[in-house]
């Protein structure tokens, strides 16, 4: 180390720091390792033949220094710290409006834990970043090669799987609460140029002595502004100094340090491989990386470093790459920056361009760029790198120089103060000119208290909150958020049509007949009249599939529904595909069309190890409803048959019954014959549920609704199952083995026995009367009624009896039993009996009188005496007309028809004269109730 130190440009600085360490500590050994090590890191980096350009992500100062250096040096090769597998996507940035993020996505993993899927890595890019300047220069300058050298997306998760990296992104802390902060989703963010102290005490010390609230404000005040106008050597050495300082003062997190060092070994290994393969001169190259990695001490550092790092092969996972929209809020959340800091950086970038007159690089055709873009300058002869002997020490002067206080720009501050009052008034605040003056003066006061002559945007934000914010927020935004919007707002990027994956482009093309600007953010209303424009039916198909695939709100049906066997006529939709562009793009990673993606997802759902028969039947219905695919429906139906045979309970019986009924009704009306799979499903389900029925009646985990649905399947599918070869003896044996003890299930069994003919209605009525007459059973009678209510599913013919049972309960149950049961009755009808309530209401309307006046004299049918109407019968006994006799006069008069039938059947004989018949209708005399009822009906009230 002493040999390296001799004759270097930083010898004077090293001597000064050694003397400072001796005076500040008990001895030179306490701080010498840190202070002198920092100088050694800077000296080593600046002497490297391959020029290292340290940056901080989304730093305007770094972007200005990068643009200036690229125009001076004109490198032929640019090495960039970015996942090497993202290189093919960078050329598509010209078709997007920044900020956007480069994404690597893997929906199916191979070599990683299954619960990690889907894997996603994002790297956001803004115009005010050094990385974008390097990308724009390399892509639009002839003869320049851009090489990404950081670990691949696959290696990000490989190292994570070995326990060397945390899976969770960094906590955003004070990140915004807006939904745009989640544009990156759960993706792992690539920390390009991340530069922040990892030593909590150091960050707290810097914030306290800098008189700022958070790290973003400290960086803006003490790094961005001083380096904004500095020359290249000063900028480079200062950034190396900061990176080395943060690196040496980092806590001893072995896993994170190992990841950082492995990334540096990876990048230097890739650069040496490229130099050897291409034969490029290191002096014609530029290495752009984070300042933290620029001050590296690994053995592989430099073009002459050791080649001892072995790069593992990628896993078998298939990675898809694309661009997704990003936003300032999403970047702040990913990097743990303060809310509004990226917007302030964008504003500072624009001011730096005007002040320094540096011409930035922009991709030709970039959305938002000037139309008359300057042609790429001809490649100039690259300037020779500065020889090691001529390196000058810029750190000593920078560290000794007192902070330069920017003069107060009253016009700028006054404009801010007037604009914040105007914006506050638009958001419901009672702000006035006096508040503008107060904000102006308070901003100057706060800046003075923090030892700066010119208020920063953060000072102005604090002043605005102090002077305008009242006891409550009248609108949707508070003053802090209003200032952030005024300073540039949360700019949200957009991926252009040409940069979209094929699936997303296909969706936009197929929805073109709607004549909507689908790439715009916000909600748009689409009206589809298929009766007038049949071609809109294809748009309807696309929208229903998008509704099934995208998050809620991307495609929301306002009017219209899709049911089996029905053709849509008119529909109304709220579309927000521009807002959910990221979700649409990620669909493109799964297939080339939405039909393919939907089929894959349905098949994946059906073949999931945890899938139930109800889930698979739902997939069958979706395949028929959205894809109209008989092939896929048959395949998934066969899978439903396999899953049903393996189930050991009746948990999914209600959903299975509902979907099988719907599918049977559809196939019976649209197909000449039933599909083989559904016939097998009914046959297997009949035997399966007959086997499970005795256990379900006694199982405490099986609910009454589930048992009722099991009975509903058996009774409703019985005729079809018997026609397919099932034996009804299975059902009879199942009931013979069923012995429930729970009152609700017992009532359900009684109702099923009535359906089978094993119990008559009179016997069932007698059992209910016996229950009501037993004081010990009366408290449990509502539970019997719950069973009868659920029995309407398998035995809807008992609706009149259920009405009778409920009416008797209301009439005879005491209030302490009846009143607590009413909420249970209501909840049962609302949750489990939504389809049964109309049946009960219709039956009650048939039984009960329709007029209030008739209610007092009304007698329930079940309370009428068997001898009712006897007086009417006695009054008409002698008043009947003469009958025609019991013989059939017409048959005797015309016996030919009867003789023909007898001859056809092989019988012969002769006609005999019948005995005289007594007068009157004998049958009517024996059973006069029908005639009496008819008389009452005709006579009226």
């Amino acid at each position: 180390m002493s040999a390296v130190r001799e004759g270097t440009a930083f010898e004077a600085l090293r001597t000064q720091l050694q003397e400072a360490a001796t005076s500040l500590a008990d001895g030179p050994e306490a701080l010498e390792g840190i202070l002198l090590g920092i100088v050694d890191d800077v000296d080593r980096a600046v002497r490297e033949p391959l020029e290292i350009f340290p940056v901080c992500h989304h730093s305007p100062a770094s972007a200005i220094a990068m643009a200036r250096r690229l125009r001076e040096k004109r490198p032929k090769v640019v090495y960039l710290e970015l996942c090497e597998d993202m290189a093919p996507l960078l050329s598509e940035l010209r078709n997007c409006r920044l900020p956007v993020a480069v994404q690597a996505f893997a929906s199916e993993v191979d070599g990683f834990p299954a619960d990690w899927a889907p894997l996603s890595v994002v790297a956001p890019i803004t115009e005010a970043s050094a990385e974008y300047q390097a990308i724009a220069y390399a892509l639009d300058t002839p003869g320049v090669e851009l090489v990404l050298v950081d670990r691949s997306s696959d290696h990000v998760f490989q190292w994570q799987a070995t326990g060397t990296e945390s899976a969770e992104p960094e906590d955003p802390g004070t990140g915004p609460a807006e939904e745009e902060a989640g544009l990156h989703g759960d993706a792992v963010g690539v920390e390009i140029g991340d530069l922040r102290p990892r030593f909590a005490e150091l960050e707290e010390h810097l914030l306290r002595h800098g008189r700022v609230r958070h790290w973003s404000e400290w960086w803006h005040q003490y790094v961005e502004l001083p380096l904004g106008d500095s020359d290249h050597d000063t900028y480079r050495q200062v950034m190396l100094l900061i990176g080395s300082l943060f690196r040496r003062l980092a806590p001893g997190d072995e896993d994170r340090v190992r990841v950082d060092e492995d990334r540096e070994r990876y990048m230097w290994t890739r650069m040496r491989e490229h130099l050897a393969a291409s034969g490029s001169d290191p002096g014609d190259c530029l290495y752009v990386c984070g300042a933290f990695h620029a001050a590296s001490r690994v053995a592989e550092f430099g073009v002459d470093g050791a080649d001892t790092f072995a790069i593992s092969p990628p896993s078998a996972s298939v990675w898809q790459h694309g661009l997704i929209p990003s936003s300032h809020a999403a970047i702040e959340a990913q990097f743990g920056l303060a809310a509004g800091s990226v917007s302030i950086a964008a504003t500072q970038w624009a001011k730096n361009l005007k002040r320094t007159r540096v011409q930035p690089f922009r991709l030709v055709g970039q959305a938002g760029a000037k139309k008359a873009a300057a042609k790429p300058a001809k490649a100039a002869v690259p300037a020779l790198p500065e020889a090691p002997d001529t390196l000058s020490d810029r750190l000593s002067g920078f560290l000794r120089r007192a902070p330069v206080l920017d003069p107060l720009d009253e016009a700028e501050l006054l404009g801010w103060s007037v604009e914040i009052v105007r914006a506050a008034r638009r958001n419901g605040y009672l702000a006035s000119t006096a508040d503008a003056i107060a904000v102006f003066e308070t901003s100057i006061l706060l800046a003075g208290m923090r030892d700066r002559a010119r208020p920063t945007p953060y000072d102005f934000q604090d002043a605005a909150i102090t002077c305008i914010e009242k006891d409550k927020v009248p609108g949707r935004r508070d003053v802090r958020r209003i200032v952030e919007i005024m300073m540039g707002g949360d700019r949200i990027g957009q991926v252009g049509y040409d940069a979209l994956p094929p699936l997303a482009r296909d969706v936009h093309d197929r929805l073109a007949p709607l004549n909507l600007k689908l790439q715009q953010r916000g909600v748009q209303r689409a009206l589809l009249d298929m009766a007038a424009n049949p071609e809109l039916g294809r748009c309807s198909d696309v929208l229903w599939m998008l509704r099934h695939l995208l998050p809620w709100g991307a495609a929301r049906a306002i009017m219209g529904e899709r049911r089996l066997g029905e053709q849509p006529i008119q529909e109304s939709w709220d579309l927000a595909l521009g807002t959910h562009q990221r979700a649409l793009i990620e669909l493109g990673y799964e297939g080339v069309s939405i039909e393919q993606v939907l089929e894959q997802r349905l098949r994946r759902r059906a073949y999931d190890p945890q899938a139930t028969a109800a889930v698979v039947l739902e997939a069958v219905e979706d395949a028929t409803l959205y894809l109209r695919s008989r092939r896929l429906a048959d395949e998934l139906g066969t899978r439903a048959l396999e899953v049903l045979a393996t189930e050991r309970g009746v948990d999914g019986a209600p959903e299975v019954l509902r979907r099988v009924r719907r599918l049977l009704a559809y196939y019976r009306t649209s197909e000449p014959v039933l599909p083989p799979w559904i016939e097998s499903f009914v046959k297997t389900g009949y035997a399966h549920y007959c086997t499970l029925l005795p256990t379900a009646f006694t199982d405490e985990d099986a609910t009454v609704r589930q048992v009722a649905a099991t009975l509903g399947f058996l009774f409703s599918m019985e005729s079809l199952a018997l026609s397919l070869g099932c034996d009804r003896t299975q059902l009879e044996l199942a009931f013979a083995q069923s012995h429930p003890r729970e009152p609700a299930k017992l009532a359900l069994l009684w109702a099923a026995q009535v359906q089978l003919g094993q119990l008559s209605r009179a016997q069932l009525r007698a059992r209910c009367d016996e229950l009501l007459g037993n004081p010990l059973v009366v408290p449990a009678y509502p539970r019997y009624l719950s069973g009868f209510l659920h029995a309407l599913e398998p035995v809807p013919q008992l609706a009149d009896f259920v009405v009778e049972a409920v009416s008797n309960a209301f009439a005879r149950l005491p209030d302490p039993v009846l009143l607590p049961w009413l909420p249970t009755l209501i909840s049962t009808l609302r949750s489990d009996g939504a389809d049964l309530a109309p049946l009960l209401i219709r039956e009650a309307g048939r039984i009960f009188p329709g007029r209030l006046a008739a209610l007092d004299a009304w007698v329930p049918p079940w309370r009428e005496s068997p001898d009712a109407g006897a007086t009417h019968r006695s009054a008409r006994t002698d008043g009947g007309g003469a009958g025609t006799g019991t013989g059939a006069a017409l048959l005797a008069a015309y016996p030919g028809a009867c003789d023909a039938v007898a001859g056809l059947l092989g019988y012969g004989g002769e006609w005999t004269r019948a005995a005289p018949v007594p007068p009157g209708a004998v049958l009517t005399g024996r059973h006069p109730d029908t005639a009496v009822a008819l008389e009452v009906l005709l006579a009226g009230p």
Side-chain angles (χ1 to χ4, degrees):
M1 181 65 67
S2 59
V4 175
R5 292 178 180 175
E6 292 180 358
T8 63
F10 298 99
E11 188 62 32
L13 177 60
R14 186 178 290 106
T15 302
Q16 295 177 10
L17 292 178
Q18 189 172 10
E19 294 175 356
T22 304
S23 61
L24 294 176
D26 296 336
E29 299 298 331
L31 295 178
E32 184 178 7
I34 296 177
L35 297 180
L36 299 185
I38 293 174
V39 180
D40 293 338
D41 293 340
V42 176
D43 192 10
R44 182 187 186 189
V46 297
R47 289 183 173 276
E48 174 60 35
L50 174 58
E51 181 178 342
I52 303 174
F53 194 95
V55 300
C56 176
H57 197 37
H58 306 299
S59 167
S62 296
I64 288 291
M66 173 61 71
R68 183 188 294 113
R69 184 56 179 169
L70 290 174
R71 295 196 180 278
E72 294 175 355
K73 182 180 178 66
R74 292 289 175 177
K76 295 181 179 179
V77 180
V78 177
Y79 298 111
L80 182 61
E81 179 193 340
L82 189 64
C83 294
E84 57 185 0
D85 55 325
M86 295 181 176
L89 266 297
L90 298 182
S91 60
E92 296 294 338
L93 289 175
R94 68 179 76 252
N95 299 318
C96 305
R97 185 176 68 240
L98 301 181
V100 296
V102 187
Q103 182 183 38
F105 189 91
S107 56
E108 297 182 2
V109 299
D110 188 356
F112 303 106
D115 56 350
W116 285 14
L119 307 180
S120 180
V121 179
V122 296
I125 297 176
T126 63
E127 187 175 355
S129 62
E131 295 83 1
Y132 175 75
Q133 295 299 308
I135 293 172
Y137 163 79
L139 295 182
D140 284 349
T141 304
V144 176
E145 184 179 4
L146 177 64
V147 182
L148 306 186
V149 295
D150 200 0
R151 55 183 176 166
S152 66
S153 304
D154 195 88
H155 286 87
V156 171
F157 290 94
Q158 281 190 30
W159 296 356
Q160 179 178 313
T162 57
T164 59
E165 189 171 6
S166 174
E168 297 296 330
E170 195 170 333
D171 186 7
T174 59
E178 300 275 347
E179 64 176 3
E180 285 76 12
L183 284 178
H184 296 173
D186 297 330
V188 175
V190 178
E191 298 178 348
I192 308 174
D194 178 38
L195 197 60
R196 184 169 183 170
R198 298 181 183 176
F199 191 35
E201 287 77 4
L202 173 61
E203 182 172 344
E204 180 183 357
H205 176 83
L206 294 175
L207 298 183
R208 183 175 66 253
H209 288 274
R211 299 181 181 180
V212 294
R213 295 169 301 164
H214 43 71
W215 174 251
S216 300
E217 186 177 359
W218 185 93
W219 182 267
H220 174 84
Q221 179 65 27
Y222 295 99
V223 179
E224 284 293 333
L225 298 181
L227 291 182
D229 298 326
S230 61
D231 59 274
H232 170 66
D233 291 336
T234 303
Y235 165 83
R236 188 181 176 200
Q237 294 176 18
V238 170
M239 292 295 288
L240 290 170
L241 171 69
I242 296 174
S244 177
L245 174 65
F246 291 169
R247 189 185 187 97
R248 289 183 175 272
L249 293 183
D253 187 351
E254 297 181 359
D255 291 340
R256 189 166 185 179
V257 171
R258 189 183 303 112
V259 169
D260 291 333
E261 293 180 348
D262 285 346
R263 289 180 65 185
E264 293 156 7
R265 296 185 180 99
Y266 194 107
M267 290 187 284
W268 280 109
T269 301
R270 289 301 192 202
M271 284 187 284
R272 283 194 298 270
E273 291 176 354
H274 181 268
L275 290 172
S278 62
S280 301
D281 184 4
D284 297 335
C285 304
L286 186 67
Y287 172 35
V288 183
C289 66
F292 191 88
H293 298 293
S296 176
R297 301 188 302 274
V298 296
E300 292 79 2
F301 178 88
V303 294
D304 297 326
D307 290 324
T308 58
F309 184 71
I311 299 177
S312 60
S315 68
S317 300
V318 179
W319 288 88
Q320 304 287 338
H321 297 83
L323 298 170
I324 62 173
S326 183
S327 67
H328 291 173
I331 296 172
E332 291 159 0
Q334 176 177 330
F335 286 89
L337 304 177
S341 58
V342 178
S343 298
I344 294 175
T347 304
Q348 186 67 32
W349 159 255
K351 293 172 61 176
N352 288 349
L353 291 179
K354 293 180 180 180
R355 186 180 67 254
T356 60
R357 299 184 181 276
V358 173
Q359 184 180 0
F361 291 94
R362 288 188 179 93
L363 289 171
V364 176
Q366 179 75 59
K370 296 180 181 180
K371 293 184 179 180
K375 295 182 179 180
K378 296 182 179 180
V381 179
L384 295 176
E386 197 173 7
D389 296 338
T390 61
L391 287 177
S392 59
D393 176 16
R394 302 298 180 90
L395 282 178
S396 299
F398 183 84
L399 295 177
R400 286 197 302 263
R401 186 173 66 244
V404 177
L405 300 178
D406 293 338
L408 174 63
D409 189 344
E410 293 188 359
E412 180 187 53
L413 183 59
L414 185 60
W416 288 355
S417 302
V418 173
E419 181 61 29
I420 188 58
V421 170
R422 183 183 296 112
R425 291 174 66 88
R426 287 197 302 265
N427 286 270
Y429 286 93
L430 300 178
S432 63
T433 305
D435 293 316
I437 299 174
V439 172
F440 181 86
E441 297 294 343
T442 306
S443 300
I444 298 175
L445 176 62
L446 289 177
M449 295 173 61
R450 295 166 179 173
D451 295 335
R452 40 184 179 257
R454 183 175 185 172
T456 65
Y458 299 98
D459 298 327
F460 173 75
Q461 186 180 59
D462 293 341
I465 294 173
T466 303
C467 300
I468 299 178
E469 192 77 77
K470 302 299 189 291
D471 56 343
K472 65 178 181 179
V473 178
R476 188 167 59 94
R477 300 185 180 98
D478 58 4
V479 175
R480 181 184 301 278
R481 180 59 183 155
I482 295 173
V483 174
E484 294 173 5
I485 295 175
M486 192 191 74
M487 289 294 175
D490 184 16
R491 298 179 185 176
I492 302 174
Q494 184 184 66
V495 180
Y497 175 86
D498 295 330
L500 292 174
L503 181 144
R505 293 200 301 268
D506 179 62
V507 168
H508 284 281
D509 294 340
R510 295 167 68 177
L511 295 180
L514 298 179
N515 296 323
L516 298 176
K517 298 180 180 179
L518 298 177
Q519 285 194 306
Q520 287 186 354
R521 294 182 60 83
V523 179
Q524 302 180 67
R525 177 63 58 87
L527 303 176
L528 286 75
D529 186 358
M530 277 74 74
N533 299 309
E535 64 274 7
L536 294 179
R538 298 182 179 179
C539 296
S540 174
D541 296 339
V542 174
L543 292 176
W544 282 108
M545 285 186 282
L546 291 177
R547 178 181 178 269
H548 188 82
L549 295 171
L550 294 180
W552 184 90
R556 185 162 57 95
I558 304 301
M559 182 186 70
E561 57 183 351
R562 182 64 65 94
R563 291 184 178 181
L564 289 174
E566 296 183 2
Q567 293 296 329
I569 300 176
Q570 289 182 337
E571 293 177 353
S572 176
W573 290 81
D574 276 351
L575 303 179
L577 298 184
T579 305
H580 296 82
Q581 192 182 47
R582 171 179 174 265
L584 181 61
I585 291 173
E586 289 185 349
L587 285 183
Y589 301 152
E590 302 182 42
V592 295
S593 66
I594 53 178
E595 287 84 0
Q596 180 186 4
V597 174
L598 181 56
E599 181 176 342
Q600 291 175 355
R601 290 195 180 184
L602 292 178
R603 188 175 283 109
R604 189 182 308 123
R605 188 200 312 171
Y607 286 92
D608 188 272
Q610 304 300 324
T612 62
V615 172
V616 183
L617 286 177
E618 182 183 6
V620 174
E621 187 174 348
D622 291 341
T624 306
L625 196 61
Y626 301 122
L627 297 176
R628 298 184 177 93
S629 174
R630 178 66 181 275
R631 171 191 54 80
L632 180 61
D634 291 347
E635 176 188 344
L636 299 182
T638 305
R639 170 62 179 171
L641 180 62
E642 298 173 357
V643 175
L644 178 66
T646 61
E647 291 185 349
R648 294 296 177 262
V650 295
D651 298 346
E655 191 70 14
V656 169
L657 174 62
R658 184 170 64 90
R659 297 194 178 278
V660 167
R661 280 178 174 173
R662 196 153 54 208
L663 288 169
L664 272 174
Y666 168 73
Y667 286 126
R668 281 170 173 166
T669 56
S670 61
E671 300 285 345
V673 294
L674 291 177
W677 76 265
I678 200 168
E679 292 183 349
S680 301
F681 189 90
V682 172
K683 183 178 179 180
T684 303
Y686 186 83
H688 179 71
Y689 283 127
C690 283
T691 304
L692 296 179
L693 186 60
T695 305
F697 268 119
T698 57
D699 188 3
E700 296 181 355
D701 295 332
T703 64
V704 182
R705 179 170 177 260
Q706 294 169 356
V707 179
T710 303
L711 293 173
F713 186 94
L714 294 174
F715 290 158
S716 60
M717 306 294 167
E718 183 178 14
S719 59
L720 179 58
L722 295 181
S723 67
L724 295 174
C726 292
D727 190 357
R728 197 170 193 269
T729 308
Q730 294 178 290
L731 184 61
E732 296 175 353
L733 290 176
F735 274 95
Q737 298 172 358
S738 300
H739 305 287
R741 296 183 178 181
E742 186 180 351
K745 293 182 179 179
L746 185 58
L748 193 60
L749 177 62
W750 293 345
Q753 289 175 343
V754 172
Q755 174 71 11
L756 293 175
Q758 300 176 357
L759 191 68
S760 65
R761 288 202 173 201
Q763 293 173 329
L764 182 60
R765 185 176 291 107
R767 291 185 180 183
C768 292
D769 292 340
E770 182 182 354
L771 293 175
L772 286 173
N774 189 344
L776 298 178
V777 184
V778 165
Y781 188 74
R783 298 166 62 187
Y784 287 91
L785 289 180
S786 297
F788 286 130
L789 288 175
H790 285 92
L792 293 178
E793 177 72 47
V795 193
Q797 298 86 351
L798 285 180
D800 57 340
F801 177 80
V802 174
V803 172
E804 173 186 343
V806 173
S807 301
N808 288 334
F810 276 89
R812 300 178 58 180
L813 286 179
D815 289 345
V817 177
L818 180 63
L819 294 180
W821 172 65
L822 291 180
T824 304
L825 174 64
I826 296 174
S827 62
T828 300
L829 291 176
R830 178 175 297 177
S831 60
D832 300 337
D835 299 334
L836 307 177
L839 183 62
L840 282 178
I841 295 173
R842 189 185 315 114
E843 188 64 28
R846 189 185 64 84
I847 294 177
F848 289 96
R851 299 177 180 178
L852 183 61
L855 186 61
D856 294 336
W858 176 74
V859 178
W862 54 86
R863 290 191 179 181
E864 288 185 352
S865 172
D867 296 333
T871 56
H872 297 285
R873 291 197 299 271
S874 62
R876 294 181 55 88
T877 300
D878 299 332
T884 59
T886 57
L890 186 64
L891 184 61
Y894 302 98
C898 186
D899 291 340
V901 174
L904 182 64
L905 296 176
Y907 291 96
E910 296 181 356
W911 286 89
T912 59
R913 186 175 296 277
V917 295
V922 179
L923 187 62
T924 306
R926 293 178 181 177
H927 304 283
D929 293 344
T930 303
V932 173
L934 181 60
E935 178 190 17
V936 174
L937 180 63
L938 295 177

